[in-house]
Amino acid sequence: MAGESGLFIYGIVPSDVEPTSDAEGVGSPPGEVTAIRHGELAALVSEVGLEEPLGRPADLSAYERLLDGTAEVAPVLPVRFGTVVTGEDAVEDLLDAHHDRFADALDEFEDRVQYTVHGRFDEQEFIGELLAGNRDAVALADQVRGRPEAESREQRIRLGEMISQAVELRREAENRDLIDAVGGHVVADAARAPSHELDAVHVAFLVANDDEEEFVRAVEEFAEQRRDLIRTRLIGPLAPYDFVSAHQLAE
């Protein structure tokens, strides 16, 4: 029916967590974020129209902004983006059915946040390094230079495959080096799939609050050593998306 509404669930938190007065949820206009409590747990929710389309970039940003902001002050178990239930009873049923597992996970993630390190190769620098150390690549580059694409298609394909394989091998090595470089300052790590063909590193880390400063320093040192070849970004603190979710615990 037109006008019916449901509750968009963002995450599970300890029962004493209160949304800030300026917290904004998904939708247009943004929904007001509230907490539904059950036992030691609470769910952060906001009202949405059941016919309202979700999935706009602004909705995903609102979802992440709320969870990441919460993670800075309290443990949070993210609920899969787009999860909408019919009302408060459904939320309370979820909290009741998985109460102990959710509570244990919140205890485990107390004073821990996620950081993600994402780096991308500078294309010209990478190809320059490849050509400096690979005679076959140099030969192929010479064969395509200055020739029409149609006449050098086979060589271009072979060169492209060679570059792609070199990127993949170097990416694996850089991910390992990054994990080794920060390993003493993290609780866990999770390599992420590349989001671009020139991705150099893409790893999520779970970091204890007490180790954040040393972790950030180690990432900065790693990035500085490669600043001409890799453009590195440190993203966080974030909710622990890559390490726990309410859906995983409820399965």
Side-chain angles (χ1 to χ4, degrees), residues 198-214:
L198 285 173
D199 270 6
V201 290
H202 202 187
V203 186
F205 297 97
L206 187 65
V207 183
N209 291 356
D210 290 344
D211 293 325
E212 282 185 84
E213 186 174 333
E214 291 299 321

Side-chain angles (χ1 to χ4, degrees), residues 23-154:
E24 293 186 343
V26 300
S28 181
E32 178 185 359
V33 180
T34 60
I36 296 176
R37 295 175 173 80
H38 181 82
E40 300 176 10
L41 307 174
L44 300 177
V45 304
S46 68
E47 190 173 300
V48 294
L50 292 180
E51 296 183 354
E52 182 177 352
L54 297 173
R56 303 172 304 149
D59 293 327
L60 182 57
S61 294
Y63 164 84
E64 292 177 339
R65 188 163 53 247
L66 178 65
L67 289 176
D68 296 344
T70 302
E72 291 191 57
V73 297
V76 58
L77 309 179
V79 172
R80 186 179 300 135
F81 177 79
T83 299
V84 177
V85 298
T86 54
E88 290 192 17
D89 288 347
V91 177
E92 291 174 357
D93 288 344
L94 172 68
L95 298 178
D96 181 65
H98 307 287
H99 184 279
D100 291 347
R101 296 185 71 184
F102 287 169
D104 288 345
L106 288 171
D107 286 343
E108 181 181 350
F109 284 85
E110 180 78 39
D111 296 326
R112 294 174 176 180
V113 292
Q114 175 174 321
Y115 281 88
T116 301
V117 180
H118 185 211
R120 188 162 291 171
F121 289 117
D122 179 279
E123 185 172 15
Q124 293 303 116
E125 288 288 337
F126 185 87
I127 292 176
E129 279 197 10
L130 176 63
L131 295 179
N134 189 313
R135 292 181 179 179
D136 292 337
V138 172
L140 287 170
D142 288 341
Q143 292 173 38
V144 303
R145 187 176 295 112
R147 295 178 61 194
E149 185 171 342
E151 294 181 8
S152 57
R153 185 171 182 274
E154 180 179 344

Side-chain angles (χ1 to χ4, degrees), residues 121-239:
F121 289 117
D122 179 279
E123 185 172 15
Q124 293 303 116
E125 288 288 337
F126 185 87
I127 292 176
E129 279 197 10
L130 176 63
L131 295 179
N134 189 313
R135 292 181 179 179
D136 292 337
V138 172
L140 287 170
D142 288 341
Q143 292 173 38
V144 303
R145 187 176 295 112
R147 295 178 61 194
E149 185 171 342
E151 294 181 8
S152 57
R153 185 171 182 274
E154 180 179 344
Q155 291 83 1
R156 291 177 186 273
I157 291 174
R158 288 169 56 197
L159 181 59
E161 290 174 345
M162 188 173 294
I163 293 172
S164 178
Q165 291 170 1
V167 168
E168 185 174 345
L169 289 173
R170 184 65 178 268
R171 179 190 300 131
E172 292 176 358
E174 293 293 349
N175 276 341
R176 288 195 301 269
D177 288 349
L178 171 62
I179 291 170
D180 289 344
V182 304
H185 313 297
V186 305
V187 177
D189 60 74
R192 307 190 76 188
S195 59
H196 187 275
E197 60 186 6
L198 285 173
D199 270 6
V201 290
H202 202 187
V203 186
F205 297 97
L206 187 65
V207 183
N209 291 356
D210 290 344
D211 293 325
E212 282 185 84
E213 186 174 333
E214 291 299 321
F215 167 77
V216 170
R217 184 177 295 113
V219 173
E220 290 174 344
E221 291 176 358
F222 174 89
E224 176 62 24
Q225 292 168 2
R226 295 157 173 81
R227 61 190 177 95
D228 292 332
L229 178 63
I230 301 175
R231 297 167 184 172
T232 305
R233 292 189 302 146
L234 176 61
I235 308 165
L238 309 170

